[in-house]
Coordinates of all heavy atoms in Angstrom, one line a residue:
M1466 N -9.2 5.0 -7.8 CA -8.8 5.0 -9.1 C -9.6 4.2 -10.0 O -9.9 3.1 -9.7 CB -7.2 4.7 -9.2 CG -6.7 4.9 -10.7 SD -4.9 4.6 -10.7 CE -4.8 2.9 -10.8
R1467 N -9.9 4.7 -11.2 CA -10.6 4.0 -12.2 C -9.8 4.1 -13.5 O -9.3 5.1 -13.9 CB -12.1 4.6 -12.4 CG -12.9 4.3 -11.1 CD -14.4 4.8 -11.4 NE -15.2 4.5 -10.3 CZ -15.6 5.3 -9.4 NH1 -15.2 6.7 -9.6 NH2 -16.3 5.0 -8.4
A1468 N -9.8 2.9 -14.1 CA -9.1 2.9 -15.5 C -10.2 2.3 -16.5 O -10.8 1.3 -16.3 CB -7.9 1.9 -15.4
D1469 N -10.3 3.0 -17.6 CA -11.3 2.7 -18.6 C -10.7 2.9 -20.1 O -10.5 4.0 -20.6 CB -12.6 3.5 -18.6 CG -13.6 3.1 -19.6 OD1 -13.5 2.1 -20.2 OD2 -14.4 4.0 -20.0
G1470 N -10.1 1.8 -20.6 CA -9.3 1.9 -21.8 C -8.1 2.8 -21.6 O -7.3 2.6 -20.8
E1471 N -8.2 4.0 -22.4 CA -7.1 4.9 -22.3 C -7.1 5.9 -21.2 O -6.2 6.7 -21.0 CB -7.0 5.7 -23.7 CG -6.6 4.8 -24.8 CD -6.6 5.5 -26.2 OE1 -6.3 6.7 -26.0 OE2 -6.7 5.0 -27.1
F1472 N -8.2 6.0 -20.5 CA -8.5 7.1 -19.5 C -8.4 6.5 -18.1 O -8.9 5.4 -17.7 CB -9.9 7.7 -19.7 CG -10.0 8.3 -21.1 CD1 -10.7 7.7 -22.1 CD2 -9.4 9.5 -21.4 CE1 -10.8 8.2 -23.4 CE2 -9.6 10.0 -22.8 CZ -10.1 9.4 -23.6
V1473 N -7.8 7.4 -17.3 CA -7.6 6.9 -15.9 C -8.0 8.2 -15.1 O -7.7 9.2 -15.4 CB -6.2 6.6 -15.5 CG1 -6.0 6.4 -13.9 CG2 -5.6 5.4 -16.2
T1474 N -8.9 7.9 -14.0 CA -9.2 9.0 -13.1 C -9.0 8.6 -11.7 O -9.2 7.5 -11.3 CB -10.8 9.2 -13.3 OG1 -11.5 8.2 -13.0 CG2 -11.2 9.8 -14.7
C1475 N -8.7 9.7 -10.9 CA -8.4 9.5 -9.5 C -9.3 10.4 -8.8 O -9.5 11.6 -9.1 CB -6.9 9.8 -9.1 SG -5.8 8.7 -9.9
E1476 N -10.0 9.9 -7.8 CA -10.9 10.8 -6.9 C -10.5 10.6 -5.4 O -10.1 9.6 -5.0 CB -12.3 10.3 -7.2 CG -12.8 10.5 -8.6 CD -14.1 9.9 -8.8 OE1 -14.8 9.5 -7.9 OE2 -14.6 9.9 -10.0
R1477 N -10.7 11.7 -4.7 CA -10.5 11.6 -3.2 C -11.5 10.6 -2.7 O -12.6 10.6 -3.0 CB -10.7 13.0 -2.6 CG -10.5 13.0 -1.2 CD -10.6 14.3 -0.7 NE -9.1 14.6 -0.5 CZ -8.6 15.8 -0.1 NH1 -9.4 16.7 0.5 NH2 -7.4 15.9 0.1
T1478 N -11.1 9.9 -1.8 CA -11.9 8.9 -1.0 C -12.4 9.3 0.2 O -11.7 10.2 0.9 CB -11.2 7.4 -1.0 OG1 -12.1 6.6 -0.4 CG2 -10.0 7.6 -0.1
Q1479 N -13.5 8.8 0.7 CA -14.0 9.2 2.1 C -13.6 8.0 3.0 O -13.9 8.1 4.3 CB -15.5 9.3 2.1 CG -15.9 10.6 1.2 CD -15.3 11.8 1.6 OE1 -15.2 12.1 2.9 NE2 -14.8 12.7 0.7
A1480 N -12.9 6.9 2.5 CA -12.5 5.8 3.3 C -11.5 6.2 4.3 O -10.6 7.1 4.1 CB -12.1 4.7 2.4
R1481 N -11.5 5.5 5.5 CA -10.5 5.8 6.4 C -9.1 5.1 6.0 O -9.0 4.2 5.4 CB -10.9 5.2 7.8 CG -12.1 5.6 8.4 CD -12.6 5.1 9.6 NE -11.5 5.2 10.7 CZ -11.4 6.1 11.6 NH1 -12.4 7.2 11.5 NH2 -10.5 6.1 12.4
P1482 N -7.9 5.9 6.3 CA -6.7 5.4 5.9 C -6.3 4.1 6.7 O -6.8 3.7 7.8 CB -5.7 6.6 6.3 CG -6.4 7.2 7.5 CD -7.9 7.1 7.2
D1483 N -5.5 3.3 6.0 CA -5.0 2.1 6.6 C -3.7 2.3 7.3 O -3.3 1.5 8.3 CB -4.7 0.9 5.6 CG -6.2 0.6 4.8 OD1 -7.2 0.8 5.5 OD2 -6.1 0.1 3.8
L1484 N -2.8 3.2 6.8 CA -1.5 3.5 7.3 C -1.3 5.0 7.6 O -2.0 5.9 6.9 CB -0.5 3.1 6.3 CG -0.4 1.5 6.0 CD1 0.6 1.3 4.9 CD2 -0.1 0.8 7.2
R1485 N -0.4 5.3 8.5 CA 0.0 6.7 8.6 C 1.5 6.8 8.5 O 2.2 6.0 9.3 CB -0.4 7.3 9.9 CG 0.0 8.8 10.2 CD -0.5 9.4 11.4 NE -1.9 9.5 11.4 CZ -2.8 9.1 12.4 NH1 -2.3 8.6 13.5 NH2 -4.1 9.1 12.2
L1486 N 2.0 7.5 7.5 CA 3.5 7.7 7.2 C 3.7 9.0 6.5 O 2.8 9.5 5.9 CB 4.0 6.5 6.4 CG 3.4 6.3 5.0 CD1 4.4 5.3 4.2 CD2 2.0 5.5 5.1
T1487 N 5.0 9.3 6.4 CA 5.3 10.5 5.6 C 5.8 10.2 4.3 O 6.0 9.0 3.9 CB 6.4 11.4 6.3 OG1 7.6 10.7 6.2 CG2 6.1 11.5 7.8
S1488 N 6.0 11.2 3.4 CA 6.5 10.9 2.1 C 7.9 10.2 2.1 O 8.2 9.5 1.1 CB 6.5 12.2 1.3 OG 7.3 13.1 1.8
A1489 N 8.6 10.5 3.1 CA 10.0 9.9 3.3 C 9.9 8.4 3.4 O 10.6 7.6 2.7 CB 10.7 10.4 4.4
E1490 N 9.0 7.9 4.1 CA 8.9 6.3 4.3 C 8.2 5.8 3.0 O 8.6 4.8 2.6 CB 7.9 6.1 5.6 CG 8.6 6.3 6.9 CD 8.6 7.8 7.3 OE1 7.7 8.5 6.9 OE2 9.5 8.2 7.9
L1491 N 7.2 6.5 2.6 CA 6.6 6.1 1.3 C 7.7 6.0 0.1 O 7.8 5.0 -0.6 CB 5.5 7.0 0.8 CG 4.7 6.6 -0.4 CD1 4.1 5.3 -0.3 CD2 3.7 7.7 -0.8
G1492 N 8.5 7.0 0.0 CA 9.6 7.0 -1.0 C 10.6 5.8 -0.8 O 11.1 5.3 -1.7
A1493 N 11.1 5.7 0.5 CA 11.9 4.6 0.8 C 11.3 3.2 0.4 O 12.1 2.3 -0.2 CB 12.3 4.6 2.2
A1494 N 10.1 3.1 0.6 CA 9.4 1.7 0.2 C 9.4 1.6 -1.2 O 9.6 0.6 -1.8 CB 8.1 1.6 0.9
Y1495 N 9.0 2.7 -1.9 CA 8.9 2.7 -3.3 C 10.2 2.4 -4.0 O 10.2 1.7 -5.0 CB 8.3 4.0 -3.8 CG 8.2 4.2 -5.3 CD1 7.3 3.5 -6.0 CD2 9.0 4.8 -6.1 CE1 7.0 3.5 -7.3 CE2 8.9 5.0 -7.4 CZ 7.8 4.3 -8.0 OH 7.8 4.3 -9.4
L1496 N 11.3 3.0 -3.5 CA 12.6 2.8 -4.2 C 13.2 1.5 -3.8 O 14.1 1.0 -4.5 CB 13.4 4.0 -3.9 CG 13.0 5.3 -4.4 CD1 14.0 6.4 -3.8 CD2 13.1 5.4 -5.9
G1497 N 12.7 0.9 -2.8 CA 13.3 -0.4 -2.4 C 14.5 -0.3 -1.4 O 14.9 0.9 -1.1
G1498 N 15.0 -1.3 -1.0 CA 16.0 -1.5 0.0 C 15.6 -1.5 1.4 O 16.2 -2.0 2.3
T1499 N 14.4 -1.0 1.7 CA 13.7 -1.2 3.0 C 12.2 -1.6 2.8 O 11.7 -1.4 1.6 CB 13.8 0.1 3.9 OG1 13.4 -0.1 5.1 CG2 13.0 1.2 3.2
T1500 N 11.6 -2.0 3.8 CA 10.2 -2.4 3.7 C 9.3 -1.6 4.6 O 9.8 -1.0 5.7 CB 10.0 -3.9 4.0 OG1 10.3 -4.2 5.4 CG2 10.9 -4.8 3.0
L1501 N 8.0 -1.5 4.4 CA 7.1 -0.8 5.3 C 7.1 -1.5 6.6 O 6.9 -0.9 7.7 CB 5.8 -0.7 4.6 CG 5.7 0.4 3.6 CD1 4.3 0.3 2.8 CD2 6.1 1.8 3.9
S1502 N 7.3 -2.9 6.6 CA 7.3 -3.6 7.8 C 8.5 -3.2 8.7 O 8.3 -3.1 9.9 CB 7.3 -5.1 7.5 OG 6.2 -5.6 6.9
S1503 N 9.6 -3.0 8.2 CA 10.8 -2.7 8.9 C 10.7 -1.2 9.4 O 11.0 -0.9 10.5 CB 12.1 -2.8 8.2 OG 12.1 -2.0 7.0
L1504 N 10.0 -0.4 8.6 CA 9.8 1.1 9.0 C 8.9 1.1 10.1 O 9.0 1.8 11.1 CB 9.5 1.8 7.8 CG 10.5 2.1 6.7 CD1 10.0 2.7 5.5 CD2 11.6 2.9 7.3
A1505 N 7.8 0.2 10.0 CA 6.8 0.2 11.1 C 7.5 -0.3 12.5 O 7.1 0.2 13.5 CB 5.6 -0.8 10.8
A1506 N 8.3 -1.3 12.3 CA 9.1 -1.8 13.6 C 9.9 -0.7 14.2 O 10.1 -0.8 15.4 CB 9.8 -3.0 13.2
A1507 N 10.3 0.2 13.4 CA 11.2 1.3 13.9 C 10.3 2.5 14.3 O 10.9 3.5 14.7 CB 12.2 1.7 12.8
G1508 N 8.9 2.2 14.2 CA 8.2 3.4 14.7 C 7.9 4.5 13.7 O 7.5 5.6 13.9
R1509 N 8.3 4.2 12.3 CA 8.1 5.3 11.4 C 6.9 5.2 10.6 O 6.5 6.1 9.9 CB 9.2 5.1 10.4 CG 10.7 5.2 11.0 CD 11.1 6.8 11.4 NE 10.9 7.7 10.4 CZ 11.9 8.1 9.6 NH1 13.1 7.7 9.8 NH2 11.7 9.0 8.7
V1510 N 6.1 4.0 10.6 CA 4.9 3.8 10.0 C 3.9 3.4 11.0 O 4.1 2.5 11.8 CB 5.0 2.7 8.8 CG1 3.7 2.4 8.3 CG2 5.9 3.3 7.8
E1511 N 2.7 4.0 11.1 CA 1.7 3.5 12.0 C 0.6 2.8 11.2 O 0.1 3.2 10.4 CB 1.1 4.9 12.7 CG 0.0 4.5 13.7 CD -0.5 5.7 14.3 OE1 -0.2 6.9 14.0 OE2 -1.6 5.6 15.1
E1512 N 0.3 1.7 11.8 CA -0.8 0.8 11.1 C -2.1 1.1 11.8 O -2.3 1.1 13.0 CB -0.5 -0.7 11.5 CG -1.4 -1.7 10.9 CD -0.9 -3.1 11.0 OE1 -0.9 -3.5 12.2 OE2 -0.7 -3.8 10.0
L1513 N -3.1 1.6 10.9 CA -4.3 2.0 11.4 C -5.4 0.9 11.1 O -6.6 1.1 11.7 CB -4.8 3.3 10.7 CG -3.8 4.5 10.9 CD1 -4.3 5.6 10.0 CD2 -3.7 4.9 12.4
R1514 N -5.1 0.0 10.3 CA -6.0 -1.2 10.1 C -5.1 -2.4 10.3 O -4.1 -2.6 9.6 CB -6.7 -1.2 8.8 CG -7.6 -2.4 8.5 CD -8.1 -2.4 7.1 NE -7.1 -2.4 6.1 CZ -6.3 -3.5 5.7 NH1 -6.6 -4.6 6.2 NH2 -5.5 -3.3 4.7
R1515 N -5.6 -3.4 11.0 CA -4.8 -4.6 11.4 C -4.5 -5.4 9.9 O -5.3 -5.5 9.1 CB -5.6 -5.5 12.2 CG -4.8 -6.8 12.5 CD -5.7 -7.7 13.4 NE -5.8 -7.2 14.7 CZ -5.2 -7.5 15.8 NH1 -4.5 -8.6 15.7 NH2 -5.4 -7.0 17.0
G1516 N -3.2 -5.6 9.7 CA -2.8 -6.2 8.6 C -2.3 -5.4 7.4 O -1.8 -5.8 6.4
A1517 N -2.6 -4.0 7.6 CA -2.2 -3.1 6.5 C -0.7 -3.1 6.2 O -0.4 -2.9 5.1 CB -2.9 -1.8 6.8
V1518 N 0.0 -3.0 7.3 CA 1.5 -2.9 7.1 C 2.0 -4.1 6.3 O 2.8 -4.1 5.2 CB 2.3 -2.7 8.3 CG1 3.7 -2.9 8.2 CG2 2.0 -1.5 9.1
T1519 N 1.6 -5.3 6.6 CA 2.1 -6.5 5.9 C 1.6 -6.5 4.4 O 2.4 -6.8 3.5 CB 1.5 -7.8 6.6 OG1 2.0 -7.9 7.9 CG2 1.9 -8.9 5.9
A1520 N 0.4 -6.2 4.2 CA -0.2 -6.1 2.8 C 0.5 -5.1 2.0 O 0.8 -5.3 0.9 CB -1.7 -5.8 2.8
A1521 N 0.7 -3.9 2.5 CA 1.4 -2.8 1.8 C 2.8 -3.1 1.5 O 3.4 -2.8 0.4 CB 1.3 -1.5 2.4
S1522 N 3.5 -3.8 2.6 CA 4.9 -4.1 2.4 C 5.1 -5.0 1.3 O 6.0 -4.9 0.5 CB 5.4 -4.7 3.8 OG 6.8 -4.7 3.7
L1523 N 4.2 -6.1 1.2 CA 4.2 -7.0 0.1 C 4.0 -6.4 -1.3 O 4.5 -6.7 -2.3 CB 3.3 -8.3 0.5 CG 3.7 -9.1 1.5 CD1 2.6 -10.1 1.8 CD2 5.0 -10.0 1.2
A1524 N 3.0 -5.4 -1.2 CA 2.7 -4.8 -2.6 C 3.9 -4.0 -3.2 O 4.0 -3.8 -4.2 CB 1.5 -3.8 -2.3
F1525 N 4.6 -3.4 -2.2 CA 5.8 -2.6 -2.6 C 7.0 -3.4 -3.0 O 8.0 -2.9 -3.5 CB 6.2 -1.5 -1.6 CG 5.3 -0.3 -1.6 CD1 4.3 -0.2 -1.0 CD2 5.7 0.7 -2.5 CE1 3.5 0.9 -0.9 CE2 4.9 1.9 -2.6 CZ 3.9 2.0 -1.8
R1526 N 7.1 -4.7 -2.6 CA 8.2 -5.6 -2.8 C 8.3 -5.9 -4.4 O 7.3 -6.4 -5.1 CB 7.9 -6.9 -2.1 CG 9.1 -7.9 -2.0 CD 10.0 -7.2 -0.9 NE 11.2 -8.1 -0.8 CZ 12.3 -7.7 -0.4 NH1 12.5 -6.5 0.0 NH2 13.3 -8.6 -0.3
G1527 N 9.5 -5.8 -4.9 CA 9.8 -6.0 -6.3 C 10.3 -7.4 -6.5 O 10.6 -8.1 -5.4
E1528 N 10.5 -7.8 -7.6 CA 11.1 -9.1 -7.8 C 12.6 -9.2 -7.6 O 13.2 -10.3 -7.3 CB 10.9 -9.6 -9.4 CG 9.5 -9.8 -9.7 CD 9.2 -10.3 -11.2 OE1 10.1 -10.7 -11.8 OE2 8.1 -10.2 -11.6
R1529 N 13.3 -8.0 -7.8 CA 14.7 -8.0 -7.5 C 14.9 -6.9 -6.4 O 14.2 -6.0 -6.3 CB 15.4 -7.5 -8.8 CG 15.2 -8.4 -10.0 CD 15.9 -8.0 -11.1 NE 15.9 -6.6 -11.3 CZ 16.6 -6.0 -12.3 NH1 17.4 -6.7 -13.1 NH2 16.5 -4.7 -12.5
E1530 N 16.2 -7.0 -5.8 CA 16.5 -6.0 -4.8 C 17.1 -4.8 -5.7 O 17.5 -5.0 -6.8 CB 17.6 -6.6 -3.9 CG 17.2 -7.6 -3.0 CD 16.2 -7.0 -1.9 OE1 16.4 -5.9 -1.5 OE2 15.3 -7.7 -1.6
P1531 N 17.0 -3.6 -5.0 CA 17.6 -2.5 -5.8 C 19.0 -2.7 -6.1 O 19.8 -3.3 -5.3 CB 17.4 -1.3 -4.9 CG 16.4 -1.7 -3.9 CD 16.4 -3.2 -3.8
F1532 N 19.5 -2.3 -7.3 CA 20.9 -2.4 -7.7 C 21.4 -1.2 -8.4 O 20.8 -0.4 -9.1 CB 21.0 -3.5 -8.7 CG 22.3 -3.6 -9.4 CD1 23.3 -4.2 -8.7 CD2 22.6 -3.2 -10.7 CE1 24.7 -4.5 -9.2 CE2 23.8 -3.4 -11.2 CZ 24.8 -4.0 -10.6
H1533 N 22.8 -0.8 -8.1 CA 23.4 0.3 -8.7 C 24.8 -0.3 -9.0 O 25.4 -1.0 -8.1 CB 23.5 1.5 -7.9 CG 24.1 2.7 -8.6 ND1 25.4 2.9 -8.7 CD2 23.5 3.6 -9.3 CE1 25.6 4.0 -9.3 NE2 24.4 4.4 -9.8
P1534 N 25.3 -0.1 -10.1 CA 26.6 -0.7 -10.7 C 27.7 -0.4 -9.7 O 28.6 -1.2 -9.6 CB 26.9 -0.1 -12.0 CG 25.6 0.4 -12.5 CD 24.7 0.7 -11.3
S1535 N 27.8 0.8 -9.0 CA 28.8 1.1 -8.1 C 28.6 0.5 -6.7 O 29.4 0.7 -5.8 CB 29.0 2.6 -8.0 OG 28.0 3.1 -7.4
G1536 N 27.6 -0.3 -6.5 CA 27.4 -0.8 -5.1 C 26.1 -0.2 -4.5 O 25.4 0.4 -5.2
W1537 N 25.9 -0.4 -3.3 CA 24.8 0.0 -2.5 C 24.8 1.5 -2.3 O 23.7 2.1 -2.3 CB 24.8 -0.7 -1.1 CG 24.2 -2.1 -1.2 CD1 25.0 -3.2 -1.2 CD2 22.9 -2.5 -1.3 NE1 24.2 -4.2 -1.4 CE2 22.9 -3.9 -1.4 CE3 21.8 -1.8 -1.5 CZ2 21.8 -4.6 -1.7 CZ3 20.6 -2.6 -1.7 CH2 20.6 -3.9 -1.8
A1538 N 25.9 2.1 -2.2 CA 26.0 3.6 -2.0 C 26.1 4.3 -3.4 O 26.9 4.1 -4.2 CB 27.3 3.9 -1.2
F1539 N 25.1 5.2 -3.6 CA 25.0 5.9 -4.8 C 26.1 6.9 -4.8 O 26.4 7.6 -3.7 CB 23.7 6.6 -5.1 CG 22.6 5.6 -5.4 CD1 21.8 5.0 -4.3 CD2 22.4 5.2 -6.7 CE1 20.9 4.1 -4.8 CE2 21.4 4.3 -7.0 CZ 20.7 3.7 -6.0
P1540 N 26.8 7.2 -5.9 CA 27.8 8.3 -5.9 C 27.1 9.7 -5.7 O 26.0 9.9 -6.1 CB 28.4 8.2 -7.3 CG 27.4 7.6 -8.2 CD 26.5 6.7 -7.1
A1541 N 27.8 10.5 -5.0 CA 27.3 11.8 -4.7 C 27.9 12.8 -5.7 O 29.1 13.4 -5.6 CB 27.8 12.3 -3.3
F1542 N 27.2 13.0 -6.8 CA 27.6 13.9 -7.9 C 27.1 15.4 -7.6 O 26.0 15.5 -7.1 CB 27.1 13.4 -9.2 CG 27.7 12.3 -9.7 CD1 27.0 11.1 -9.6 CD2 28.9 12.2 -10.3 CE1 27.5 9.9 -10.0 CE2 29.4 11.0 -10.7 CZ 28.6 9.9 -10.6

């Protein structure tokens, strides 16, 4: 990805991947409440480069834990 002022471009890379995971694991880490490290320990994320799980897990970590006013379980509307 490149950012230049107001413009951002993304290009496909030829670099080898650091992790192997599905969109479900990526979404869970993005939304919070779980870490890529815990998903890797459960066998849901494969580390292809040493240290990649730890680095990515820290990168997805927010300053606060996820919160919803009704508690941990979101209402099923």
Side-chain angles (χ1 to χ4, degrees):
M1466 182 173 80
R1467 292 189 176 101
D1469 180 22
E1471 296 180 19
F1472 301 99
V1473 176
T1474 59
C1475 297
E1476 298 173 5
R1477 176 170 265 186
T1478 180
Q1479 298 301 317
R1481 297 179 58 91
D1483 295 337
L1484 301 171
R1485 181 174 294 137
L1486 65 158
T1487 71
S1488 58
E1490 289 79 32
L1491 183 62
Y1495 178 74
L1496 293 173
T1499 190
T1500 63
L1501 289 174
S1502 294
S1503 64
L1504 293 169
R1509 303 287 306 263
V1510 175
E1511 183 181 356
E1512 184 174 64
L1513 303 175
R1514 180 186 56 81
R1515 183 180 291 254
V1518 167
T1519 300
S1522 195
L1523 290 172
F1525 277 95
R1526 191 80 178 154
E1528 292 182 21
R1529 304 183 313 178
E1530 291 296 321
F1532 172 77
H1533 188 273
S1535 68
W1537 283 99
F1539 288 92
F1542 293 100

